[in-house]
Amino acid sequence: MENQLIALGLVLIGAFALSIYGMRQQRKSKRARSSDGQDGVEAAARAERGAGVVPAFQTFTAEVGRVAEAGQAVHVALGSGGLLSEDGMVSIAALQGLAALTKLSAAYDTPPYLTTGDPTLYLLADTQLRDAYARLGTAQGYRPGCVRFSAPTPTLYAAQAATLTLDEPVGTHINLGAFDQEASLLVDAAVTKKAKLAGGAVSPAGLSALYPDLTERQLIIGEELFAGGAEVTDRSAFLASLAAANLLRWLVILGILVAAGISLVGPLLEGGG
Amino acid sequence: MFRWVIPTIIAVVAGLLVLLGYLAPIPIFVSVRIVLVRWATVLAAFALVLAYGSILKVHIARVFRRRIRHRIASLILLVSAVITLVLVLLQGPEGIWVQAILSDILIPGQSAVLALTAVTLLLSGMRLFTTRRSPMAVLFLATALLMLLGTIPVVYPRTVELIVQLVDAAATGGMRGLLLGVSLGIVITGLRIILGIDRPYSGG
């Protein structure tokens, strides 16, 4: 009951902060647009958050051009985080971080292979790639076979997706989403194929599987994954959510310090009394 | 209108009701949450049908494509997917043959693949210093080795035991910090969807 109320309080503060920061960000964008044009908006937004905080997101789009020139493709493994599971939001954040990649891939008509280990995530990934083509007015060019549901359990999914990396002409392999140690199967396949690697995970087990083979510039660690939308799209809502997350983080830190202080001082006061 | 207004209204209302069902201790919200989550599960079952179709489509294309590796594996996958579906339709998920497939093929196979991750993790550990030559890489390896040492049921000298406990405490603290940050990210991403700012279901 007490925990539920604390969570409700955090959610309400988060919603309030998101609305306030969102409105502020939109005002800033409008002001910048009226004075500098579209480039000015992007420059202002980038300056606001400090561009290239998570460089891995910027490398995704560069990889699209590189593999297109080499006649290869990008394989994005989205993991097994379905919408009905606790990893649903992780998968959605991963897809938002891939927005620029899917857009550019559609423009070059070199669609990436998107593999998922959950049926609901499969539908979302399919919608995102299909939509990227539709926005360019080339919906008929979309190839549904590029988005694949591999298997319904994380281990079998990783094994199946790893065979895709080995069998298809994959030049870059990106692991982004909800993974545990099964990510090492995917990384191993990419290393065997000599494909370039990038990506990230939120669980300690998934990160420990990625850490040895990915450099600092290629790896997205934990909460950085949720900054993907802001890194690749410059939408004011994403920038506002970064600010709201920062505010919540400080509140949690404050809460931890207060709780630690009370548990430290409380027994001393009781003993003294 | 049908492309995003109606889906957004449905998503926002359903999201708010489910959230209240979890966080507000009022019985009516709890009952509504249970009903909505049940509906979502039924919808997810339809997603599974589409995903099953995707598997069939991809592997049928692979079987008939020339000059492709592992065509036989795709054929085996297709045959087993169809046989399993037929058995489930005939016997239900609790049927003898369906349970036999689950306990004698799927679970052992999955365990075998999971065991393989131990080998791939070891291999990637051996590659660590080719990717990263930094003090952090040394720290990563030392922590991993100490944690492994800690899992072996041997009586260590007091100093080693103390070091293992210290590293264990530091690693646990780091993991909790990571998970806290991720939880906040999850809350904010969820809020964006509930407030209708993000619409992943309609590509926006």
Side-chain angles (χ1 to χ4, degrees):
Chain A
M1 178 79 166
E2 209 172 87
N3 289 346
Q4 276 177 313
L5 288 178
I6 293 172
L8 184 62
L10 260 184
V11 166
L12 287 177
I13 293 170
F16 184 68
L18 197 58
S19 317
I20 297 290
Y21 284 124
M23 282 190 279
R24 232 179 76 184
Q25 200 65 47
Q26 256 184 344
R27 256 206 311 273
K28 261 187 201 167
S29 301
K30 268 185 196 158
R31 218 179 300 143
R33 195 174 289 135
S34 59
S35 59
D36 301 330
Q38 188 59 35
D39 291 344
V41 179
E42 286 180 10
R46 278 175 190 282
E48 174 79 13
R49 66 163 198 273
V53 176
V54 191
F57 284 112
Q58 312 302 328
T59 62
F60 291 171
T61 43
E63 286 306 307
V64 175
R66 194 186 67 81
V67 298
E69 277 175 21
Q72 295 172 318
V74 177
H75 173 206
V76 183
L78 286 165
S80 302
L83 291 190
L84 293 186
S85 72
E86 57 188 28
D87 290 321
M89 294 303 119
V90 176
S91 299
I92 287 177
L95 277 173
Q96 285 165 349
L98 293 167
L101 181 143
T102 47
K103 208 167 135 186
L104 197 65
S105 302
Y108 285 174
D109 196 22
T110 52
Y113 292 108
L114 299 175
T115 54
T116 78
D118 182 88
T120 53
L121 182 59
Y122 160 74
L123 290 186
L124 272 193
D126 184 69
T127 305
Q128 176 154 330
L129 195 56
R130 194 185 292 270
D131 197 63
Y133 273 87
R135 277 170 198 259
L136 291 168
T138 55
Q140 70 285 355
Y142 172 65
R143 294 185 280 282
C146 290
V147 183
R148 297 180 185 181
F149 167 71
S150 299
T153 63
T155 320
L156 295 183
Y157 158 70
Q160 271 278 6
T163 59
L164 184 140
T165 299
L166 293 169
D167 289 351
E168 304 289 346
V170 171
T172 299
H173 178 90
I174 298 171
N175 273 338
L176 200 64
F179 289 100
D180 279 326
Q181 71 269 30
E182 76 274 3
S184 69
L185 290 171
L186 292 158
V187 170
D188 194 65
V191 170
T192 308
K193 189 80 186 278
K194 292 187 172 65
K196 221 171 159 194
L197 274 162
V202 292
S203 73
L207 280 168
S208 62
L210 298 178
Y211 184 83
D213 288 297
L214 274 73
T215 62
E216 273 90 356
R217 293 188 62 80
Q218 296 167 327
L219 185 62
I220 296 159
I221 298 175
E223 63 185 291
E224 289 177 354
L225 198 141
F226 296 93
E231 285 284 336
V232 301
T233 64
D234 283 332
R235 262 183 63 195
S236 51
F238 289 129
L239 296 170
S241 65
L242 288 186
N246 275 338
L247 178 78
L248 287 186
R249 185 180 303 117
W250 281 112
L251 283 177
V252 169
I253 290 170
L254 201 70
I256 290 171
L257 286 176
V258 169
I262 288 171
S263 63
L264 197 72
V265 177
L268 289 177
L269 288 178
E270 273 174 27
Chain B
M1 174 81 173
F2 289 104
R3 177 95 173 90
W4 69 272
V5 177
I6 293 172
T8 306
I9 292 169
I10 293 171
V12 169
V13 173
L16 276 174
L17 286 173
V18 171
L19 189 69
L20 284 174
Y22 274 113
L23 300 181
I26 300 166
I28 182 85
F29 288 135
V30 178
S31 325
V32 171
R33 168 176 66 87
I34 291 168
V35 171
L36 284 175
V37 170
R38 204 175 295 150
W39 285 1
T41 312
V42 173
L43 286 176
F46 283 102
L48 186 62
V49 174
L50 290 175
Y52 181 83
S54 148
I55 289 187
L56 293 188
K57 205 159 90 180
V58 166
H59 287 279
I60 286 171
R62 280 177 59 86
V63 166
F64 290 106
R65 233 161 73 190
R66 281 183 187 175
R67 285 188 300 168
I68 193 152
R69 292 171 67 193
H70 305 146
R71 279 166 71 182
I72 192 78
S74 286
L75 188 66
I76 291 170
L77 189 145
L78 277 175
V79 172
S80 45
V82 172
I83 288 175
T84 311
L85 178 71
V86 170
L87 283 176
V88 171
L89 289 175
L90 289 176
Q91 300 186 329
E94 300 296 325
I96 296 172
W97 283 99
V98 177
Q99 285 301 312
I101 287 175
L102 188 72
S103 59
D104 299 341
I105 301 174
L106 266 176
I107 293 174
Q110 200 163 297
S111 306
V113 178
L114 197 62
L116 199 64
T117 59
V119 180
T120 52
L121 279 170
L122 185 71
L123 284 173
S124 75
M126 286 161 70
R127 288 191 299 264
L128 175 65
F129 289 106
T130 59
T131 324
R132 296 165 179 263
R133 288 171 196 223
S134 65
M136 283 300 168
V138 179
L139 193 65
F140 176 80
L141 200 63
T143 311
L145 287 175
L146 278 170
M147 296 297 273
L148 280 176
L149 272 179
T151 58
I152 302 170
V154 179
V155 180
Y156 293 110
R158 185 75 191 124
T159 331
V160 178
E161 213 173 88
L162 206 67
I163 293 171
V164 170
Q165 278 175 3
L166 274 175
V167 170
D168 191 21
T172 310
M175 280 201 294
R176 284 187 186 159
L178 186 85
L179 293 177
L180 267 177
V182 170
S183 309
L184 292 180
I186 288 173
V187 168
I188 293 294
T189 309
L191 277 175
R192 278 206 311 261
I193 294 171
I194 287 176
L195 295 176
I197 300 168
D198 262 357
R199 297 182 301 275
Y201 40 84
S202 62

